[in-house]
């Protein structure tokens, strides 16, 4: 079986898609706490609410980006990381409509998106390697 024909089991992919926005929200909450911008109780309390919005954004922008990359067999660390940089910009632009994008919005969102993309890629890569091992036997 060709390496490009390896399909990741759907449950593993769903877990990766669910985990990535959680990582972004946790990173943003931690950054707020470390920088003293908010009370740690408030930051931790907002995580479930912010996760819902992050997951919806991921579902609307990141998931289609993944399937587009997957369709053309372009899923690799570089493309996933690049998507992790671009997706927060697209989400911020959509949220700001009809107003122009505010660069201050991106100062936390882009690094959090990059981190969540790295976590997604690591989970995707592990699942792909395990599936390749199963198919080789």
């Amino acid at each position: 079986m060709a390496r490009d024909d390896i399909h990741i089991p759907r449950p593993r992919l769903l877990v990766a898609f669910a985990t990535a926005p959680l990582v972004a929200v946790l990173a943003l909450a931690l950054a707020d706490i470390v920088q003293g911008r908010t009370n740690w109780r408030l930051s931790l309390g907002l995580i479930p609410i912010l996760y819902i919005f992050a997951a919806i954004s991921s579902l609307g922008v990141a998931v289609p980006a993944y399937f587009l990359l997957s369709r053309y067999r372009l899923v690799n660390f570089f493309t996933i990381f690049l998507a992790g940089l671009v997706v927060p910009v697209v989400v911020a632009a959509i949220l700001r409509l009809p107003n122009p994008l505010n660069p201050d919005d991106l100062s936390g969102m882009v690094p959090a998106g990059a981190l969540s993309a790295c976590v997604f890629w690591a989970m995707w890569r592990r699942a792909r390697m395990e599936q390749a091992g199963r198919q080789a036997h």
Side-chain angles (χ1 to χ4, degrees), residues 73-97:
R73 297 181 178 174
L74 294 172
V75 178
N76 58 51
F77 178 78
F78 177 74
T79 58
I80 294 295
F81 185 77
L82 187 60
L85 295 174
V86 172
V87 165
V89 175
V90 172
V91 170
I94 291 169
L95 292 175
R96 281 284 182 176
L97 288 175

Side-chain angles (χ1 to χ4, degrees), residues 54-65 87 90-91 94:
I56 291 169
S57 299
S58 179
L59 187 62
V61 182
V63 172
V87 165
V90 172
V91 170
I94 291 169

Side-chain angles (χ1 to χ4, degrees), residues 11-40:
R12 298 286 297 268
L13 198 55
L14 291 174
V15 169
F17 281 130
T19 303
L22 179 61
V23 168
V25 169
L26 290 173
L28 289 171
L30 183 61
D32 280 347
I33 292 168
V34 169
Q35 294 173 359
R37 288 190 290 211
T38 186
N39 179 310
W40 67 272

Side-chain angles (χ1 to χ4, degrees), residues 43-62:
S43 285
L44 295 179
L46 288 174
I47 287 173
I49 296 165
L50 295 176
Y51 175 74
I52 291 169
F53 290 103
I56 291 169
S57 299
S58 179
L59 187 62
V61 182

